[in-house]
Each structure stands twice: as structure tokens, then as C-alpha cells.
Amino acid sequence: MPLRVNPDPSFKDALAAADRPLAGMWVCSGSPLVAEICAGSGLDWLLIDAEHSPNGLESILAQLQAVNGYPVTVVVRPPANDPVLIKQYLDLGAQTLLIPMVHTAADAAAAVAAAHYPPDGIRGVGSALARSARWNRIPHYLAGAGETVTMLVQIESAEAVQNAADIAETDGVDGVFIGPSDLAASMGLLGQQDHPDVVAAVENSIRAVKAAGKPVGVNAFVEATARRYLAAGVDFILVGADVALLARGSEALATGYVPATDTGPTASY
């Protein structure tokens, strides 16, 4: 007798149940071991990133398996708003996706369509072959799959800030995440995500998304900036990354034990 299982809770469930903003971190190393260490940290959520990290389908699958069973919600970011990638990530068992570079409501609608089976969308049907349905061990998966998916879209350009309300109001968008680094670059302020104009654009976007009735999140590695965005009302936030923690921690060891030099890392993110 095959084991019958239920899908894991999705991020929209965690957001709906939360009585405080949810704090998370990036997982960018591509390592299942590191992902598992982070999953047991006590943070609320992890973002497994494939846009700026050495992650392919196999490594994402291994990380999803490594963190399964830990009390943490997992979000996966594809490298692009591509229906083929979205289909593959969902079939791997990712239930919450963060789609980068969503500039318009039409971009958002395309992402939503890619995440849902017909007639609501264009997702290809392969549940008997896929971990998402536990190889057809989740009863009635096809009928209920849409309810298990959380679709987050990322505002990270000046154009997207102008369209923030329309993007948030797009049917099927469950939340909006703001990326200050690419936003700063699009505003001609490369590497200056704490510039007052960038912070103002982020806060304008927070207000627009909140007014649309959708959860809103942001990335902020500098604690003072993170606290400011929390005070502005964000519902979820990323406050660090595995690779950044390793880089800064190893540098701290070197500072303590190796004579200083004139070179050092350039701050970013």
C-alpha cells in the first residue's frame, strides 16, 4: 500500500498565520548541507536562490530534500520569469516561488499563469513524474495544486515602483518582494541601496502593496535599514545570506590572527 501524503504548508499560509514579520535569509551556496544548517537556525524562512547563485535543478532538489521536515518555510527564486523554469521548479516540489524582474502587471500575470494548470494557467501536467505530487501519492493533487502554490513577484526597478499597485493587484499574486540593489541600479545609484532616494522608493512601494491588501517583503542586510523597513510595515524580510555570513565570519578570523593589509572587501547588498 503506497504512502499517502499531504503537501507542505506554503508561504501564504505562514504569512496569514503570522502575528509578526517573518525573518529569513538567503541560501546561495548551492550546498544541501549549508541549507540544512540554515533550516535549523530558528529563522522563519529561507530563500534558495538560482538567479545569482550556482544552483541548477539537481542542487535545488537536493536542498529541498535536505530542509524538508525542519520548521522553516522555503522560497525558491528562479533565474528568470520563464514558464519552463517555473514548471520545472514546481515539479521539483517548490511550493513558493519568487519571480525576479517583474516590472509590470503583465509580467506578474505571466508568472501566475505559468504556475497554474489549465484552465487557470499554462503549467504543463506531469504530476505522475514529479516530486510535487510525490509521484501521485498526494490525493487529488491536480485539482488542488493551485492552492498549495504561493506566487511572490519581485519589484526591483524604477518602472516596477511606478507599477507597484497594479502588480500587487494582479489576480494570483500572493505577495510582493522589493529588491533594493537592482532598484538602486535602475535609478542610477549602483551599489547605493541605502541612498535616501532608493529608501524612499522602497517605502513608496511598501505603501502601494499594503494598500492593495497584499503582503510585502524586502531585502535589507544593514540592520538599521532592516529596522526601518520593519517599522514601515513589511510582512517578511531577508536579513542575511549564507555566503555573506561565511565571508564576514572568515574575515573576522583573519582580522584576529593575520596581520592587516590595505585591501578589503567592497560592501554590497
Side-chain angles (χ1 to χ4, degrees):
M1 177 72 71
L3 179 67
R4 298 296 178 183
V5 295
N6 294 316
D8 296 329
S10 193
F11 199 44
K12 60 187 175 187
D13 302 319
L15 286 167
D19 58 2
R20 57 171 176 80
L22 301 182
M25 66 177 289
W26 298 74
V27 178
C28 304
S29 65
S31 165
L33 180 63
V34 172
E36 185 174 5
I37 292 169
C38 296
S41 66
L43 288 166
D44 299 302
W45 65 291
L46 303 179
L47 175 63
I48 298 174
D49 181 46
E51 185 183 14
H52 295 297
S53 305
N55 272 313
L57 296 177
E58 291 82 1
S59 65
I60 291 171
L61 172 60
Q63 289 171 84
L64 290 173
Q65 291 170 327
V67 304
N68 192 49
Y70 283 85
V72 68
T73 303
V74 180
V75 180
V76 183
R77 182 168 73 168
N81 186 3
D82 181 293
V84 174
L85 290 172
I86 290 171
K87 171 180 63 180
Q88 290 180 305
Y89 281 40
L90 292 174
D91 282 352
L92 287 180
Q95 290 182 206
T96 303
L97 297 181
L98 173 60
I99 307 302
M101 295 294 177
V102 171
H103 306 297
T104 66
D107 291 340
V112 170
H116 292 273
Y117 292 121
D120 300 317
I122 61 170
R123 179 183 174 185
V125 181
S127 57
L129 312 176
R131 180 175 179 268
S132 58
R134 299 305 188 269
W135 306 276
N136 274 351
R137 290 173 180 162
I138 295 178
H140 313 297
Y141 175 78
L142 291 175
E147 294 303 313
T148 73
V149 173
T150 298
M151 175 55 65
L152 306 176
V153 298
Q154 190 160 357
I155 286 177
E156 47 187 340
S157 69
E159 178 186 9
V161 170
Q162 294 299 316
N163 294 322
D166 290 339
I167 290 170
E169 290 169 357
T170 301
D171 189 34
V173 167
D174 297 303
V176 175
F177 186 80
I178 304 164
S181 292
D182 278 303
L183 174 57
S186 79
M187 296 172 65
L189 297 166
L190 181 64
Q192 302 179 62
Q193 53 270 24
D194 291 325
H195 189 283
D197 291 347
V198 177
V199 173
V202 171
E203 292 181 334
N204 286 339
S205 299
I206 292 170
R207 286 190 289 269
V209 176
K210 297 285 282 186
K214 298 290 178 69
V216 60
V218 71
N219 186 68
F221 283 12
V222 176
E223 183 173 0
T225 307
R227 297 294 180 189
R228 176 168 181 163
Y229 293 149
L230 287 166
V234 295
D235 302 288
F236 55 107
I237 190 166
L238 291 172
V239 292
D242 57 349
V243 291
L245 290 171
L246 181 58
R248 302 295 85 79
S250 58
E251 290 157 8
L253 288 175
T255 297
Y257 293 97
V258 179
T261 65
D262 293 333
T263 60
T266 300
S268 67
Y269 250 81

